[in-house]
Amino acid sequence: MKAIANQFINVLMVSVLTISSLSCQEKKTNSKTTAQKYPEALSKNEWKTKLSQNAYYIMVEQGTEPAFDNAYYNNHKKGIYVSAATGKPLFSSEDKFDSGTGWPSFTKPINKDAVIWVKDNSYGMTRDEVVEKATGLHLGHVFNDGPEPTGLRYCINSAALKFIEEK
């Protein structure tokens, strides 16, 4: 009986991790950005010269990084997270929490004008994509299963961020 219970728990854990992984997977198609909508938007070629290869894949090509194998999911230092593209403040360690998904998760952006939500209908589901307001670059997704006070979970790719430690 104990062996069956352990097997059930293992299957359950794998299922939860798979669902968590899918919840933070990014769409693979690129949406058009315009200077009118995103004042600091650049062409793909311009971003390619400014971003690391990984940041370009995440932010421009709307890729995703592996769960539990990225720079900031387990970062517990105090400081702020800025855009890897612009250096603008996006999130604070004060609002970061361990969601168990393997990606950095926050309850809110550092200010309401840092990011915007865009509908994402990829992978046969509807989600809210989080993009940097100034550039339209992909950061991750937001879900309504986070802790109080907001009830939100901003699931953000580490490669879209740079961390500035508090002194």
Side-chain angles (χ1 to χ4, degrees), residues 25-26 120 127-130 140-143 153-155:
Q25 291 293 311
E26 319 317 332
D120 175 1
R127 299 174 292 171
D128 291 308
E129 178 183 8
V130 180
H141 288 89
V142 64
F143 303 94
R153 171 175 54 97
Y154 285 81
C155 185

Side-chain angles (χ1 to χ4, degrees), residues 68-141:
F68 303 102
D69 188 19
N70 55 73
Y72 302 128
Y73 90 92
N74 201 25
N75 181 24
H76 300 288
K77 297 175 183 173
K78 297 236 182 249
I80 62 168
Y81 295 84
V82 301
S83 166
T86 65
K88 292 184 179 206
L90 298 176
F91 298 94
S92 169
S93 62
E94 297 296 317
D95 303 308
K96 188 173 184 284
F97 69 99
D98 183 0
S99 65
T101 63
W103 288 275
S105 297
F106 304 88
T107 57
K108 64 182 182 181
I110 204 161
N111 72 63
K112 66 181 176 87
D113 293 322
V115 301
I116 59 173
W117 299 2
V118 178
K119 285 292 175 211
D120 175 1
N121 294 310
S122 62
Y123 297 106
M125 61 183 107
T126 300
R127 299 174 292 171
D128 291 308
E129 178 183 8
V130 180
V131 301
E132 183 176 10
K133 186 174 182 179
T135 62
L137 292 174
H138 176 78
L139 302 172
H141 288 89

Side-chain angles (χ1 to χ4, degrees), residues 30-34 37-38:
N30 192 19
S31 60
K32 293 182 181 177
T33 59
T34 62
K37 192 170 185 179
Y38 305 113

